[in-house]
């Protein structure tokens, strides 16, 4: 799908460089058939790698083009790296000084602020070198548990990368995307007795706008609840709700 908004210049340059470097360095790039494609919604996401290497962010850029082109991206990077590659600042890289509790606190504050916005992806790498993706326990970025506790609206996506040589001069890049994890899932309360005996009223939230020229939402539906109750209904039925399509829209 074509991106709805053109990516910043720095991200375009980084994407071109990632494709060029990958063609020279790898014999092939393979995405596991067991990968779970990330959900298409506006929920902020945290994607974390199983290790940290030079190739990881370049593969992340290529995945961004394919899977997350509609989102805004953030990633921590050292000031030395940002001075060397100045166009890193345009895609959304955040400078972070390594080591020390003050720097860790500054990084956590920057990450929470970035995830306050919808359609955001924060990329994190585990603080280890090349590691076997089958290693248990899986190494995690130190910031990840803090974000899982602090940000109850995010989704967390594990990303496993491996670079086997298979006896060849150039390695292959193996990629597997894990199922999204949500630290705080919403619970659905069901009343089966009332559902069997009550009178149902079906309502379409988008057809209940609070003002002319806009579509309705759940907050607008709340204003209609007294009217529905006065008519004698005691069960409000909402039809299946899906995200607005991005492809082949008319």
């Amino acid at each position: 799908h074509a991106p709805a908004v053109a990516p910043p210049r720095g991200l375009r340059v980084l994407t071109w460089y990632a494709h060029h470097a990958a063609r020279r360095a790898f014999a092939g790039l393979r995405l596991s058939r067991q990968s779970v494609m990330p959900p298409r919604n506006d929920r902020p996401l945290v994607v974390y790698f199983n290790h940290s290497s030079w190739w990881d962010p370049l593969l992340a850029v290529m995945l961004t083009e394919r899977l997350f082109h509609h989102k805004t991206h953030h990633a921590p990077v050292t000031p030395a790296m940002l001075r060397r590659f100045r166009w890193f600042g345009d895609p959304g890289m955040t400078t972070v000084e390594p080591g020390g509790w003050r720097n860790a606190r500054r990084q956590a504050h920057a990450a929470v602020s970035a995830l306050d916005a919808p359609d955001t992806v924060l990329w994190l790498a585990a603080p280890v070198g090349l590691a076997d993706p089958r290693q248990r326990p899986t190494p995690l970025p130190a910031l990840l548990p803090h974000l899982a506790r602090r940000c109850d609206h995010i989704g967390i996506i594990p990303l496993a990368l491996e670079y086997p040589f298979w006896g060849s001069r150039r390695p292959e890049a193996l990629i597997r995307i894990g199922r999204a994890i949500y630290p705080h899932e919403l619970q659905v309360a069901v009343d089966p007795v009332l559902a069997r005996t009550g009178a149902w009223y079906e309502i379409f939230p988008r057809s209940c706008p609070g003002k002319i020229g806009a579509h309705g939402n759940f907050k607008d539906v709340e204003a209609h609840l007294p009217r529905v109750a006065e008519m004698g209904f005691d069960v409000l039925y909402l039809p299946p709700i899906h995200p607005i399509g991005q492809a082949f829209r008319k």
Side-chain angles (χ1 to χ4, degrees):
H1 308 305
V5 179
R9 179 176 178 274
L11 185 56
R12 293 198 299 270
V13 173
L14 192 57
T15 301
W16 174 87
Y17 178 77
H19 282 278
H20 176 73
R23 282 194 295 268
R24 296 183 58 182
F26 294 113
L29 277 72
R30 301 182 185 274
L31 179 65
S32 171
R33 293 182 179 179
Q34 296 179 335
S35 293
V36 181
M37 293 299 101
R40 291 295 300 266
N41 54 43
D42 60 355
R43 184 188 292 236
L45 299 174
V46 176
V47 182
Y48 71 92
F49 314 134
N50 55 310
H51 54 65
S52 178
S53 75
W54 164 249
W55 288 110
D56 294 353
L58 294 182
L59 291 182
V61 170
M62 299 176 71
L63 290 174
T64 294
E65 181 187 24
R66 296 282 182 172
L67 305 176
F68 305 110
H69 54 66
H70 58 293
K71 292 182 176 291
T72 303
H73 299 268
H74 298 268
V77 64
T78 61
M81 185 65 71
L82 193 60
R83 286 192 298 269
R84 183 178 179 184
F85 303 100
R86 295 182 178 180
W87 33 270
F88 268 16
D90 195 10
M93 301 294 183
T94 303
T95 56
V96 176
E97 291 284 359
W101 67 268
R102 287 188 177 87
N103 294 327
R105 183 177 180 181
R106 191 178 298 113
Q107 182 182 5
H109 177 75
V112 172
S113 298
L115 293 172
D116 280 341
D119 279 338
T120 298
V121 178
L122 176 65
W123 298 82
L124 297 176
V128 294
L130 290 175
D132 190 331
R134 291 164 290 274
Q135 175 183 339
R136 295 295 182 272
T138 304
L140 297 177
L143 185 59
L144 192 61
H146 172 76
L147 296 177
R149 292 191 301 266
R150 179 73 181 273
C151 306
D152 59 358
H153 59 295
I154 65 173
I156 301 174
I157 297 180
L159 178 63
L161 303 174
E162 189 176 10
Y163 308 115
F165 280 84
W166 304 123
S168 175
R169 184 173 60 87
R170 294 188 300 165
E172 288 189 353
L174 307 184
I175 306 170
R176 181 173 179 178
I177 305 171
R179 186 180 302 277
I181 303 168
Y182 300 100
H184 300 273
E185 292 281 6
L186 297 178
Q187 300 295 322
V188 178
V190 180
D191 188 346
V193 177
L194 188 60
R196 288 197 298 266
T197 62
W200 289 37
Y201 185 87
E202 182 178 10
I203 193 169
F204 295 86
R206 289 181 58 85
S207 300
C208 301
K211 59 181 179 180
I212 299 177
H215 63 77
N217 52 39
F218 290 124
K219 198 67 177 178
D220 297 325
V221 172
E222 291 181 7
H224 292 268
L225 295 182
R227 178 178 61 86
V228 174
E230 289 177 359
M231 291 188 292
F233 294 98
D234 43 27
V235 174
L236 188 67
Y237 170 71
L238 301 178
I241 298 173
H242 301 280
I244 299 176
Q246 299 295 326
F248 309 106
R249 296 179 64 177
K250 298 180 180 179

